[in-house]
Amino acid sequence: QDSYSTTGGAGWIGVGQAGHGDVRRAPWLDFGRGVAHVGHWMYAVALDPFDADRAYYGTGQTIWACTNLRVAARGEPTRWVVHAVGIEETVPLALASPERGAHVLAGTGDISGFTVFDPADVTENPPLRSPTFKDTTGIDFAAQRPELVVRVGSRGWDRERDHDTGAYSLDGGRTWHAFGAYPDPQAREGHVAVSADGETWVWAPRALRPHVSRDASRSFHPCGGLPASPCRVLSDRVTPSLFYAFACDGSAVFVSHDAGESFERARSELPRGPFASACAVFGPCGYVVAASGARVV
């Protein structure tokens, strides 16, 4: 509870939770509830010595500013506005950029993520909600149908409401639908890959073998030929039947020519060192750029 005193600390009046938080500059801060959470982890407060109505405070979410602080003494609600445009205490966990539609599909820690349609206008960058994840760890789109987007992650903050860990969009990331089924009741997080035509989704959940769906998540079954150890999966951007899997420990590369049904170990090997990330290149078939702990290959 954020409080305000006009008596040198002898008495206090609530001004934070009792006030109104305006999140139009950062609409994700209502976490899908329709009402802003005005912050936690308060680490700094600044009062304007020349204007008793003006105050700022920083939190683990953003910086809030007030210009009518003294109304609290009359029992009226203060108004707090986001004053940290483009700044958030979060971590990008998954990024994708289709050839058309959204500029960036961003999966983040703690606040699910965003679909960025206009970097200059926050109102055009809808949060990844309904379902809302806590962390979005994997996101991908169909190269030939970029309006189809799939994301995976962890259950959201509201455990009663936010129980889904997979979702797909048919309008480029503006609205979402929860997966129809899951490979396992514990399936969550990991990475996801969508075929170029959007007909096949391969999900490598955390602590589970990769699974494939050919019916828009109504069912999943295990991919053949992959080890039990963690893998990063990705799809070719040209050929719908072509998928790749990189062992996260950098020990092997696997290729599927039958839309994720089965994989076989590729002849090429990664340099020594843990595998970091990879992406398939638009245009040429079979062209992948991978970053390992040793170098980019």
Side-chain angles (χ1 to χ4, degrees), residues 90 181 215:
T90 188
D215 56 9

Side-chain angles (χ1 to χ4, degrees), residues 225-236:
L226 291 175
S229 57
C231 289
R232 173 70 178 267
V233 294
L234 60 151
S235 63
D236 191 78

